[in-house]
Structure formats: structure tokens, C-alpha cells
């Protein structure tokens, strides 16, 4: 310790001076010095060392008034302990206090300041940034911490409307409703296949289509439209067992057709509106249905035809947002199908010598939520084992 080093190097004359001072000093401090002078034990030498250190500090011109007072108090405690013969921890504590009083006060070392900002990019479930913090500690054991929140970026995967099981249901379950058209129309019996995967050998093009009807019970809504989006057509290769997208469109093209489709010339333009999400909407009014398609006639390899799959999505939207929302009163049905065509240029003719239906799916009510409307010529077991793209 520092006091022991001073004891070792302090000149004899200085120790003699302390002897003299102690003889004239009748305070408790003087009593302690005299006791230490007489007591040559380890404890006595320690008390004397503290006294010498205090004197040296004063000789050096330092401002030691408060330190010397603390030393004096500690020496007084030590003297009391010596007088009673106590050499236990009480004396040791007194000596430690005196020694500490002579160590110059130093400023506390500032705690380091750290700053951390966390950023996390979320996946299909989504995630947020971690919390960053800036901490500053002052005064050794006490401190304050200030935190700032990190910046997080969340990417949310689109919610899928369609699924393999929905596709299978759309080719196996009965229609949810029927249009007003006469009951003899064969499509009213449910979903089904015509040519399926076996069109005539010289037909090599496909065109997906859809229809939105007024349901048989009639629609009481006057401020509701039907929105359609994301029409797609896929073909399954027999050679590679892979799906290929033949055509795709956010919007559709079509017209109002007389609902029974036997009035071939009873066609008129549809009133269409582009919706914020990119789809288009219209409102069929009986006796007309909205018949639409997309993408143009798409070529396929007849010898490699393992199946086709057509799909789009539909929902109800409000026509005029300043008026009451009456979508709950709307009764519209939607379904889809696919036609094979001989070539790119042949037109429709009675008896359909140039085109024919591969098949059609079931009719489903259009609701305020998106619903997938599907048709396929691929068996359920194959769909489950090798599903097509869905969204």
C-alpha cells in the first residue's frame, strides 16, 4: 500500500519531528500519534504511516483540509481502539478510511455510449425491426439508458384465394344456383367435360371464357357491380409432367349476351369500369349475361396435351360509394370454361365446326370476398399429386 511505502522511505528526522509534535499536541490525534510512537507493532507502524502521509500532503501545498480532517477522525478511532487493546476489524476499518482520505479524488470514468439500430425484413408471415438502444452510464454504478426503436420493413405475402381443393370442388360439386335461362340448357345439370383432353386432332388452340349471370331468384341490388380479375390458362405436358401458362390477363374482354345463348345475334356492348386493383367490373341485367374471355387463342401441342386448367377471380363491389351499399341483396352467379379452336382465324358458326368446349366448372355465387372460379380437364388425383399454380 501507499502508506507502507511512505513508512519505508520517510526520513528518521521526520519521524523524530512527529515525536516532538505528539508531545506538544494534546488532542486525540496527538494521543494517537503518541500511541503509535510507543507501539512498534504492525498496527502502530500503520498509524504512524498515515500521520506521515498527512504531513507530506500538507508540505506539498495540496488542499488537504478535508482529507486531513478525515485522517484525524480515523486516527482518533484507531487511538481509541489501541487504548482498549482492540486490534480487530474495527482498527483495520479505521486505518482503511484514513488511507482512502489521502487518495486524490478522480473523476469517474464515463461509461461508453453505444447505439444500435435493428432492421429486419419480414417473410410470407411478416416480421418487424428489433429495438435499437443508446445507453449512457454516469457515476460508476448508476446510469441512464435511452432507447430508440429500430426501423422495420414488413413484406406480406399475398393471400391466396384459390387452392387445389377448390379446383377439384369446382369440377365435382353441384352448382350453387342456376340462372333464369330455360331449364333445358344442358349446362344447368352441373360441371362437366365435353372434349376433355381429346379435341379433334387438327385443333391446336385454346381460349378460356367466363360468364356472369343474374341468378334465377333475381337480384335486388341496384348499386352493385361484379369485378373480375386474373384470368389464366395453363396446359399440362404429358412428356414432362409440368404445367405451362398459355395465357394470362388482369382484365377481360366481353359483351352482354342474351342469357340462353340461343339468340346468337342478341349481343350488345357491356358497361365496363376499371377498378383500383386492376380488374374490371360490370353489372349484368336480365335477360343479359356478361360473357367474356382473355388472352386470345393460345396454341398447344395436341400430341402432348395432358390437360388444361382455366381460372379467374370474382367479387362484388359498390357501384357508387355515395349511395347505400346493397351488395347483400345481389344474386349473381359466375362460372368458367374453355373452348378448343381449329385455328387462329376461323369464326363461330352454327353447329360449331371450328370450335368446341373442353369443359366447364360449377356456377358459384359472387360475394363481397374474392372467389376463385375454376375449370380443368385434369383428374383430382393428378391435381393433388402435381398441382398447377394457384393464387
Amino acid at each position: 500500500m501507499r502508506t507502507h511505502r511512505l513508512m519505508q522511505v520517510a526520513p528518521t528526522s521526520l519521524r523524530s519531528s512527529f515525536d516532538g509534535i505528539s508531545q506538544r499536541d494534546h488532542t486525540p490525534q496527538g494521543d494517537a500519534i503518541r500511541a503509535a510512537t510507543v507501539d512498534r507493532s504492525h498496527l502502530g507502524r500503520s498509524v504512524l504511516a498515515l500521520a506521515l502521509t498527512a504531513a507530506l500532503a500538507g508540505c506539498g501545498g495540496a488542499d488537504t483540509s478535508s482529507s486531513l480532517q478525515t485522517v484525524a477522525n480515523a486516527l482518533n478511532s484507531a487511538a481509541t481502539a489501541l487504548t482498549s487493546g482492540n486490534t480487530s476489524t474495527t482498527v483495520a476499518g479505521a486505518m482503511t478510511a484514513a488511507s482512502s482520505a489521502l487518495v486524490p479524488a478522480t473523476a469517474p470514468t464515463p461509461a461508453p455510449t453505444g447505439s444500435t439500430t435493428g432492421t429486419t425484413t419480414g417473410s410470407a408471415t411478416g416480421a418487424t425491426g428489433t429495438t435499437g438502444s443508446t445507453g449512457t452510464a454516469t457515476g460508476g454504478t448508476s446510469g441512464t439508458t435511452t432507447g430508440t426503436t429500430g426501423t422495420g420493413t414488413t413484406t406480406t405475402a399475398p393471400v391466396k384465394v384459390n387452392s387445389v381443393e377448390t379446383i377439384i370442388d369446382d369440377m365435382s360439386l353441384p352448382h350453387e344456383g342456376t340462372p333464369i335461362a330455360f331449364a333445358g340448357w344442358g349446362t344447368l345439370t352441373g360441371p362437366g367435360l365435353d372434349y376433355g383432353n381429346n379435341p379433334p386432332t387438327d385443333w391446336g388452340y385454346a381460349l378460356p371464357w367466363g360468364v356472369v349471370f343474374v341468378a334465377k331468384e333475381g337480384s335486388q341490388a341496384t348499386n352493385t357491380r361484379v369485378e373480375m380479375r386474373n384470368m389464366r390458362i395453363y396446359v399440362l405436358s404429358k412428356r414432362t409432367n409440368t404445367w405451362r401458362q398459355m395465357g394470362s390477363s388482369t382484365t377481360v374482354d366481353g359483351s352482354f349476351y342474351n342469357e340462353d345463348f340461343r339468340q346468337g345475334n342478341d349481343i350488345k356492348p357491356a358497361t365496363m369500369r376499371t377498378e383500383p386493383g386492376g380488374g374490371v367490373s360490370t353489372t349484368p341485367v336480365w335477360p343479359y349475361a356478361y360473357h367474356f374471355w382473355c388472352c386470345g387463342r393460345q396454341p398447344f401441342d395436341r400430341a402432348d396435351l395432358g390437360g388444361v386448367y382455366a381460372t379467374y377471380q370474382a367479387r362484388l363491389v359498390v357501384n357508387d360509394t355515395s349511395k347505400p351499399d346493397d351488395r347483400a341483396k345481389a344474386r349473381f352467379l359466375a362460372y368458367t370454361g374453355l373452348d378448343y379452336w381449329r385455328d387462329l382465324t376461323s369464326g363461330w358458326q352454327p353447329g360449331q365446326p371450328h370450335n368446341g368446349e373442353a369443359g366447364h366448372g360449377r356456377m358459384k355465387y359472387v360475394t363481397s370476398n374474392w372467389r376463385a372460379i375454376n375449370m380443368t380437364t385434369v383428374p383430382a388425383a393428378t391435381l393433388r399429386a402435381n398441382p398447377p399454380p394457384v393464387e
Side-chain angles (χ1 to χ4, degrees), residues 264-265 347-355:
N265 295 324
W348 183 89
Q349 294 181 6
Q352 297 181 277
H354 306 302
N355 74 301

Side-chain angles (χ1 to χ4, degrees), residues 261-302:
F261 288 95
R262 292 176 182 261
Q263 309 296 325
N265 295 324
D266 192 3
I267 304 170
K268 64 180 185 179
T271 54
M272 306 302 295
R273 183 177 77 184
T274 300
E275 297 297 333
V280 292
S281 69
T282 191
T283 304
V285 179
W286 193 84
Y288 294 95
Y290 180 57
H291 181 33
F292 58 94
W293 49 87
C294 87
C295 321
R297 301 176 193 178
Q298 297 296 315
F300 63 90
D301 183 351
R302 172 66 179 80

Side-chain angles (χ1 to χ4, degrees), residues 35-36 39-47 77-96:
D39 181 5
R40 299 304 178 183
S41 66
H42 176 77
L43 186 60
R45 290 197 300 272
S46 298
V47 174
S77 297
T80 302
L82 285 170
T83 303
S84 62
N86 184 356
T87 57
S88 66
T89 56
T90 301
V91 178
M95 306 308 300
T96 300

Side-chain angles (χ1 to χ4, degrees), residues 201-284:
T201 56
D202 59 340
W203 290 11
Y205 293 84
L207 179 72
W209 51 261
V211 183
V212 175
F213 299 95
V214 177
K216 187 174 183 178
E217 62 268 29
S219 178
Q220 303 303 313
T222 59
N223 191 35
T224 296
R225 303 174 70 89
V226 178
E227 180 181 2
M228 295 138 288
R229 71 175 185 184
N230 299 349
M231 198 165 201
R232 317 280 194 236
I233 176 175
Y234 297 87
V235 62
L236 178 64
S237 168
K238 286 195 299 186
R239 286 191 295 266
T240 64
N241 199 37
T242 58
W243 290 93
R244 176 177 66 87
Q245 186 180 86
M246 289 196 291
S248 173
S249 178
T250 302
T251 62
V252 296
D253 296 316
S255 299
F256 285 146
Y257 283 71
N258 189 288
E259 193 178 74
D260 67 8
F261 288 95
R262 292 176 182 261
Q263 309 296 325
N265 295 324
D266 192 3
I267 304 170
K268 64 180 185 179
T271 54
M272 306 302 295
R273 183 177 77 184
T274 300
E275 297 297 333
V280 292
S281 69
T282 191
T283 304

